Structures are given as structure tokens and as C-alpha cells.
Amino acid sequence: MLIERIYDEDLAQASYLIGCQAKGEAIVVDGRRDIATYQALAEKNGMKIVAVTETHIHADYLSGTRELANATGATIYVSGEGGPDWQYAFDGTRLYDGDTITLGNITIEAVHTPGHTPEHLSFLVTDGAFSDRPGYLLSGDFVFSGDLGRPDLLDEAAGGVDTRFAGAKALFASLRDKFLTLPDHVQVHPGHGAGSACGKALGAIPSSTVGYERLYAWWGPYLAAGDEEGFVRELLDGQPDAHAYFARMKRENRDGPAVMGELAPLPRLDQADVARGLAEDTLTFVDTRGNDAVHEGTVVRSLHIPAGKSVASYGAWVVDPTTDHNPLVLLAGSQEQAHEMRDHLVRVGIDSVAGYVTGIEELPTFVPQLIQPEELDGFERAMLLDVRNKTEHAAGHIPGSYQLSGGRVMWHLDELPENGTIVSYCQSGVRNAVAASALRRAGYDVVELDGSYAAWSAGRTAVPAA
């Protein structure tokens, strides 16, 4: 048996390829939409992808289940659990608690583990060539290394009202009745790692065991004592801000993400043509350099999505493809870099990229305004905006600041002043530069605090939340 973990550092998301070498068949679990990595991995191991599935209706990225099935002819399996409000709207074989998928000597059993979401499945894997009992659990967003999937995303992202309490109780029951009934040796392979907004304290190690989590996870004492009330209170306390784009992911993953098919190579565009498109507002420019370079001069009304490991995350902060219909033009050093960025963007459903340019010499530019920390007290402003998470703001913030995280600000413009200057900051300046670019494009007068909170707090006393 082969188990391969494919990890996306951008979204702190893990997908898995499980294969039977004897039969040459494989299944992909929780795949993303840029599917070449799965196809290459299967080919390398002499396998054919014959099945695709997912643990639940995801909120943080757009599922590649349909994309893989379209490319490979694989059978789709999705959860049939969760009740009428949580049914997938596209065709696929429904899995219920106890159902199995067989690949040669491998048996994959669906285990209904509600709590993070009502329909959530985990997958128990048995390598029949080695044992007749399961040795592995793909836990999705149920159990992480040292943490649990948050049960409040239906409230935060799907329009639910107080569903977090029922979800937290369901998680308690899933742990008690499903997870803790497994042998201690069962290896746990979760769907996310450190940095994901799907939990509050995810560990960075890629896997764990039932026994280790039983002994050392924060929730262990609550389960051992049967303290559901204490468990619910601790689980819900201090969860990070949920990004606003999660609502779109939930909806599109339930209905079925659009199938892209094989993508054409991105063309290198002529800057003069791009300049005309920007003037006519038929294109949107994306500056992919670091924020220091952007602060020396960037394209007028451009969005700032720095190249690197957070392209999907930051892209989804500032682009809503349901309302932002302009194709994107990427600033990239090469076609290869442009393709890599596109691969990240499609993971969050940003599919329309017209091409790339390698410079901005012929495009209209401006220099974003910055303010130094020592100038802040006397600077006239309508709002001091903290775009960090609420937990960061609670730990210490600049007096008089208003917290609205970068992943939510463009969906809560009604909380911003209609007139006047907004001074914005984050921790170091990276997230702030991303959010500020989108606010400027939306017509707001934004001045960035140079060095952000880290620079301001040097030699000062932070103000903790009341």
C-alpha cells in the first residue's frame, strides 16, 4: 500500500493519494483543483486514479474532486450524511457511515464524524496485504495534530445561527463514540496543518496517532471526565477570524466547482495593450512583488498579491470572482512563475487570468502613501484600521484602532467611514499592503503605517483589550 501526503503550504491543506501497488489503482482524498501533481504521482508509481473523494464540503479551498474525475474518469464518492441541508448538488456515489471503497487489497471505510460540519466523514484505511484491521485514519477537519476542526464555520461562513454549539457537542460525541474507540496504534493523517483557519492551535507535525492524541491533546481531559460543557466552552473560545471567502467556497463546493479542463499556457502580454485595458477597466493588474517594492511605486488601481506561499489566501482576500469580472494580469518574471501563481489562484476559484507582463515601465504608476509611527499621533484620520486577526488585536493594539481582519475587510465596507483618510496596519506590513491595495481600488483614501504594529510597538506599551 502507498499513502502519499500532498501538502499545500499556501492554504495549510493536505490531500492524500492512496494506492494499491498490486492492482495499480489509486484514490485521491481532498484533492485540489490544480491536479497535475496527483497525475504525476500516480504515473510515477504505475497507478491509475480510479476514485476520488473528500471528507466534507470544504470552506477554505475549492475542491478538485470533479476536476480529477473529469481528467481521469475516476468514480466520485461524496458524503451522503448530514441531513437534507448538507447534500452535495452534483452527481457522485453517496457514502454513509460504514460504507467501504475497495482498491485491490486496500479497504477504505467511511466513518461519519460530524462536528466540524454535519456531513463530515473520516476514512479508516486497512492494508489487507498486511493486516485485517485498520491502521490509518484520514481525519479531514475532524482531528488535527493537537487540535480539532472548529465547529463555528457554519455560523461564520454559511449563514448559520448559533450552529456552533450543536457542532461542538457533535464533535464531543464523535470523539467519544468514534475516535477514542479506535486502537492507539492507528495513525492519524489530518486535512490541515499549522496556519489553517480551520482550527485555533493546529500542530505542524504532519501526522499523529489515536493514542498520542488521547494522552496529550488539549481535549483529552475533558473527554476522560465526560465534561461536555467544559469541552464546548474551551473549543469555542479564541477561534481565529474566518475569512469571508469561506462562504463562497462552501456554496461552490456544495453545488460543484466548475470543471476547468486542461489550461492553456498564459501569454506574455504587451504593456501597451494592458495599459489600454486598465484605462477601459476591462483588466485588473496584480502586482506580485514584495510590499517594499510596491511602496516604491506600483500600478494605479492595482491589487497587491505577493508571489510566494500565500497567493491563494491573499488572492481570495481581494478578489471576489462573483462580482469582480475583469481578467487578471499578473506581474511575473517568467511564464513559469505566472503558471505557478495561476495554480494557486484556481484553488480558491479565481480562474480568469488573461496573462502576464514582466515589467510596469509603460503602465500608469503611483507611490502609495506611508506614515511613520512617530507621525501617527498628530495625523488627521477618519479611522485607524487594524487588519490583523481579532486574537492579535486582543493581545495588544494601537489605542483607538478598529479591528477588521484582512480576510474580511472587503466584505464589510459598511463598517468603514465613507469619507476621510484610513490609516491601516497589520503586524509587519505584508497583510496590510494586500488589504490597502484592495481598499484603494475600491476608492478609499488609505495611508499605510510603515512597519505596521511591530514598528509602532517598539519602545511603546501595547493596549490589551478590555
Side-chain angles (χ1 to χ4, degrees):
M1 183 180 75
L2 174 74
I3 294 184
E4 288 279 356
R5 176 179 182 256
I6 301 93
Y7 195 69
D8 174 15
E9 291 188 1
D10 190 336
L11 298 165
Q13 182 264 334
S15 51
Y16 296 88
L17 183 144
I18 302 174
C20 174
Q21 290 105 329
K23 196 169 184 181
E25 293 182 344
I27 183 172
V28 173
V29 182
D30 288 337
R32 62 193 193 220
R33 290 175 88 214
D34 52 315
I35 62 174
T37 184
Y38 309 107
Q39 294 170 302
L41 189 56
E43 182 178 1
K44 174 185 174 182
N45 288 279
M47 295 178 179
K48 175 179 174 58
I49 297 172
V50 298
V52 285
T53 190
E54 53 195 63
T55 52
H56 65 292
I57 301 173
H58 297 283
D60 54 318
Y61 73 103
L62 208 53
S63 166
T65 293
R66 297 183 73 228
E67 199 70 43
L68 267 167
N70 179 71
T72 66
T75 300
I76 292 174
Y77 297 90
V78 291
S79 176
E81 299 280 4
D85 293 335
W86 293 99
Q87 295 301 305
Y88 286 85
F90 57 90
D91 291 338
T93 300
R94 270 34 181 182
L95 292 174
Y96 298 90
D97 189 65
D99 286 349
T100 59
I101 302 169
T102 301
L103 301 175
N105 293 319
I106 300 169
T107 302
I108 300 166
E109 179 185 350
V111 182
H112 185 214
T113 49
H116 176 67
T117 61
E119 80 290 350
H120 193 286
L121 299 177
S122 298
F123 294 105
L124 266 176
V125 182
T126 299
D127 181 2
F130 188 75
S131 172
D132 61 355
R133 298 192 177 186
Y136 312 88
L137 180 74
L138 271 59
S139 57
D141 288 18
F142 170 35
V143 175
F144 301 128
S145 294
D147 201 10
L148 301 170
R150 61 191 295 180
D152 62 324
L153 282 184
L154 303 187
D155 290 351
E156 296 288 338
V161 178
D162 290 339
T163 63
R164 65 191 68 200
F165 301 107
K169 291 180 179 180
L171 262 179
F172 187 88
S174 292
L175 287 167
R176 181 192 62 209
D177 301 336
K178 300 291 180 67
F179 188 79
L180 292 179
T181 63
L182 297 173
D184 283 350
H185 69 265
V186 171
Q187 296 180 24
V188 179
H189 296 274
H192 289 289
S196 170
C198 290
K200 64 179 178 179
L202 281 70
I205 57 174
S207 64
S208 185
T209 65
V210 171
Y212 192 87
E213 296 302 306
R214 185 198 310 272
L215 288 173
Y216 300 116
W218 67 262
W219 49 264
Y222 292 102
L223 269 293
D227 183 5
E228 182 185 69
E229 182 178 346
F231 171 87
V232 169
R233 183 171 57 249
E234 177 64 24
L235 177 63
L236 294 178
D237 182 57
Q239 290 289 354
D241 293 326
H243 302 314
Y245 82 88
F246 283 7
R248 176 170 60 86
M249 296 294 95
K250 273 285 186 188
R251 182 175 61 252
E252 293 184 17
N253 279 324
R254 179 199 63 202
D255 295 344
V259 174
M260 301 179 296
E262 186 173 354
L263 298 177
L266 288 175
R268 180 176 175 179
L269 303 175
D270 182 79
Q271 286 192 45
D273 293 335
V274 173
R276 282 192 291 273
L278 296 178
E280 297 167 357
D281 195 24
T282 57
L283 295 173
T284 296
F285 191 83
V286 177
D287 195 328
T288 66
R289 299 171 298 163
N291 56 310
D292 288 341
V294 167
H295 289 157
E296 294 177 2
T298 187
V299 174
V300 174
R301 299 191 72 240
S302 63
L303 295 174
H304 176 45
I305 304 174
K309 71 174 187 177
S310 299
V311 171
S313 302
Y314 292 150
W317 284 16
V318 298
V319 177
D320 180 358
T322 66
T323 58
D324 304 333
H325 300 302
N326 284 355
L328 304 182
V329 176
L330 308 177
L331 177 60
S334 65
Q335 186 184 63
E336 181 182 11
Q337 184 188 32
H339 286 168
E340 182 179 358
M341 291 196 67
R342 179 176 65 179
D343 283 348
H344 282 246
L345 291 171
V346 300
R347 295 173 197 172
V348 289
I350 302 172
D351 298 351
S352 183
V353 179
Y356 70 100
V357 296
T358 57
I360 59 174
E361 301 84 4
E362 300 177 42
L363 303 179
T365 60
F366 81 110
V367 177
Q369 185 178 353
L370 304 180
I371 184 175
Q372 299 305 309
E374 60 269 21
E375 301 174 301
L376 184 59
D377 288 344
F379 190 84
E380 184 176 348
R381 59 183 184 265
M383 175 181 279
L384 178 59
L385 178 64
D386 184 341
V387 300
R388 300 176 301 163
N389 288 323
K390 58 187 176 185
T391 52
E392 295 174 279
H393 184 81
H397 57 267
I398 301 176
S401 60
Y402 184 82
Q403 187 273 330
L404 186 57
S405 67
R408 298 175 64 85
V409 65
M410 296 308 296
W411 282 261
H412 293 271
L413 297 178
D414 58 321
E415 298 182 32
L416 305 182
E418 294 183 2
N419 300 298
T421 299
I422 297 173
V423 176
S424 60
Y425 72 93
C426 63
Q427 184 65 26
S428 66
V430 177
R431 288 174 289 173
N432 184 43
V434 173
S437 73
L439 288 171
R440 288 193 191 98
R441 181 169 175 79
Y444 289 87
D445 179 19
V446 180
V447 175
E448 297 173 55
L449 180 63
D450 196 16
S452 276
Y453 183 75
W456 178 89
S457 61
R460 302 223 184 192
T461 301
V463 178

